[in-house]
Amino acid sequence: MASLLEMKEIFRNADAVCFDVDSTVIREEGIDELAKFCGVGDAVAEMTRRAMGGTVTFKAALTARLGLIRPSYEQVQKLISDNPPQLTPGIRELVNRLHQRGVQVFLVSGGFQSIVEHVALQLNIPTANVYANRLKFYFNGEYAGFDETQPTAESGGKGKVITHLKEQFHFKKVVMIGDGATDMEACPPADCFIGFGGNVIRKQVKEKAKWYITHFDELLKELEER
């Protein structure tokens, strides 16, 4: 296992940095915001709590929660326009700095493509660098399920995305940054995992992550010092 010093070295020399989105790049959890917007916030929050503590797979939990929300195309668009995702302080500066250094930045999320692409646009991240779940709609805009073939729809999906990126772009060093267990599980294949607790602190991640930060300024400082 890499020491903290080695991890910092990997981060400074990374070819690519992958960020989780919900509660990391943005302050909120996209699925919870969508549930609230569609009037089933409490029921979905309870379902999320049960899923976190039990043996439910990510896909099963996602299917159940979306089955309860059943968001229409119009509701998703209205959520983005009326309650746009709030960027976490410091993320814009960090992404800009990584881009200046020629580092590829990816958003790898269990959230929804349309919401994550909106975030990517704000951060000048190409939409081709977004890996997230795709909602499906009927011609009349009603909810029709989600694309179950996306790697992010599965448990362990973020690791699959990183493996794919390494194979496609021949990246030598890839860093994963996020607040949750699914982010931590993506290392390996990621070469380094940085736990983020600026919006919500997940006990398991805080205890197990060798490098744990609560503000993106800490990473910006790491880049500025070298």
Side-chain angles (χ1 to χ4, degrees):
M1 290 290 284
S3 67
L4 183 57
L5 271 175
E6 287 167 332
M7 288 169 74
K8 290 186 172 187
E9 187 72 17
I10 291 167
F11 174 66
R12 285 194 299 271
N13 295 293
D15 306 301
V17 176
C18 298
F19 288 92
D20 169 51
V21 177
D22 294 335
S23 299
T24 300
V25 168
I26 62 173
R27 288 177 161 278
E28 52 277 284
E29 287 284 327
I31 196 161
D32 291 343
E33 294 305 305
L34 188 57
K36 278 187 242 169
F37 195 77
C38 296
V40 288
D42 291 345
V44 168
E46 178 56 36
M47 208 177 263
T48 302
R49 273 197 297 276
R50 282 207 305 271
M52 294 279 188
T55 53
V56 187
T57 66
F58 182 81
K59 187 184 273 187
L62 186 61
T63 304
R65 286 179 289 178
L66 280 171
L68 200 57
I69 302 168
R70 302 196 65 79
S72 68
Y73 177 80
E74 189 185 353
Q75 282 173 318
V76 174
Q77 297 310 309
K78 197 162 165 45
L79 170 69
I80 293 168
S81 62
D82 291 7
N83 300 319
Q86 301 299 304
L87 292 177
T88 300
I91 188 63
R92 197 187 294 276
E93 294 79 2
L94 178 58
V95 170
N96 285 346
R97 189 75 186 100
L98 289 167
H99 281 157
Q100 285 166 8
R101 291 168 69 96
V103 179
Q104 287 258 29
V105 178
F106 295 86
L107 299 181
V108 184
S109 172
F112 307 121
Q113 188 87 14
S114 46
I115 295 172
V116 178
E117 282 185 353
H118 177 81
V119 174
L121 284 171
Q122 293 182 70
L123 296 171
N124 296 315
I125 295 169
T127 52
N129 288 18
V130 168
Y131 290 82
N133 288 314
R134 294 174 186 272
L135 295 171
K136 296 198 290 195
F137 304 98
Y138 292 111
F139 287 115
N140 64 358
E142 285 182 8
Y143 174 69
F146 64 96
D147 182 354
E148 297 190 22
T149 66
Q150 293 296 316
T152 48
E154 298 268 12
S155 299
K158 292 181 180 183
K160 286 179 192 160
V161 170
I162 290 171
T163 298
H164 163 75
L165 294 177
K166 284 187 158 188
E167 287 169 357
Q168 186 178 0
F169 299 106
H170 307 292
F171 293 140
K172 297 279 186 290
K173 299 281 181 227
V174 178
V175 173
M176 180 75 210
I177 300 173
D179 68 289
T182 59
D183 308 309
M184 190 161 61
E185 286 161 7
C187 179
D191 301 277
C192 165
F193 167 68
I194 303 170
F196 182 73
N199 293 310
V200 61
I201 290 176
R202 317 259 184 219
K203 187 166 175 280
Q204 179 191 5
V205 177
K206 187 178 182 185
E207 286 172 359
K208 291 188 178 173
K210 280 201 173 167
W211 191 359
Y212 193 81
I213 63 166
T214 54
H215 202 289
F216 288 123
D217 280 359
E218 295 171 62
L219 297 183
L220 204 55
K221 195 160 157 252
E222 201 60 47
L223 297 176
E224 302 301 349
E225 282 176 356
R226 303 293 186 282

